[in-house]
Amino acid sequence: MAKEKKKQDLELEEESLLEEDLDQEQKTCPEEKVVSEGQEDPYKDQLIRLTADFTNYKRRVEKEKKDFLALGVKKVALDLLGVIDNFERALDHSDEESSFKEGVEMIYQQLLDLLKKNNICPMEALNEKFDPNRHHAVLVEEKEGVEEGVVIDVVQKGYMINDEVLRPAMVKVSQ
């Protein structure tokens, strides 16, 4: 019986300590506003707005990041296109079959593969209807048997990146 009495005393003592701790916490914590059923909690509304703002911010930053990367790819690709044009001119004017020419052709093919890997491809312009959004007319010539406004020669190749014109083709157009 003495053990049971001691056990009950310990339990009562623990309960009173817990009650004191709760009382102490209530005194130190600021009082919470009591919100009636018809009202919204102002902090909840603020939290929802901040969450939406942060989500929009993250989305905007990701889009800007992708746009900057795409711009960088476009700038580098435009610079490479001049090099590729010179390779094409050199290969067109080379008559001999030599290991040097084969090496130049291999480098040219590597450059084309690099462009293809970045979704950049040459556009077809020959014998197509002239489109000022895709073509840059540098010469106009009358040609029999060809209707007016058709590309009859490509002076410089045009290139597309992801269905967008990277560089318009320089063309000769029939009159």
Side-chain angles (χ1 to χ4, degrees), residues 115-133:
L115 291 179
K116 188 180 284 185
K117 189 171 107 177
N118 287 287
N119 298 321
I120 301 169
C121 59
M123 67 172 80
E124 294 297 322
L126 193 60
N127 298 324
E128 287 188 5
K129 189 81 172 152
F130 176 75
D131 180 3
N133 297 320

Side-chain angles (χ1 to χ4, degrees), residues 94-102 105:
S94 173
D95 293 336
E96 63 188 65
E97 289 294 323
S98 67
S99 60
F100 179 75
K101 182 180 178 186
E102 288 177 26
E105 286 175 344

Side-chain angles (χ1 to χ4, degrees), residues 56-69:
N56 290 336
Y57 169 77
K58 282 185 1 184
R59 194 176 298 132
R60 187 176 66 245
V61 167
E62 283 299 316
K63 184 185 180 311
E64 286 175 355
K65 191 174 166 183
K66 286 179 185 176
D67 290 346
F68 285 135
L69 283 171

Side-chain angles (χ1 to χ4, degrees), residues 20 30 32 37 41 49 57 62-64 72 78 80 88 92 99 105 108 112 127 147 151 156 165-166 170 173-174:
E20 286 177 21
E32 295 180 10
E37 288 183 30
D41 184 9
R49 289 179 189 274
Y57 169 77
E62 283 299 316
K63 184 185 180 311
E64 286 175 355
L78 280 172
L80 274 176
E88 288 173 350
D92 286 344
S99 60
E105 286 175 344
Y108 171 71
L112 291 180
N127 298 324
E147 66 181 75
V151 175
Q156 185 181 52
V165 175
L166 179 63
M170 288 183 161
V173 181
S174 65

Side-chain angles (χ1 to χ4, degrees), residues 68-83:
F68 285 135
L69 283 171
L71 179 65
V73 168
K74 285 179 182 179
K75 287 179 69 79
V76 170
L78 280 172
D79 292 341
L80 274 176
L81 292 181
V83 175

Side-chain angles (χ1 to χ4, degrees), residues 3 11 22 26 39 50 55 60 64 68 75 80 82 85 90 95 99 108-109 111 126 135 138 152 157 174:
K3 284 185 179 180
E11 287 176 0
L22 286 174
Q26 287 176 351
Q39 294 178 326
L50 283 173
T55 303
R60 187 176 66 245
E64 286 175 355
F68 285 135
K75 287 179 69 79
L80 274 176
D85 291 339
D95 293 336
S99 60
Y108 171 71
Q109 192 58 48
L111 286 170
L126 193 60
H135 306 128
V138 291
I152 55 176
K157 277 186 188 177
S174 65

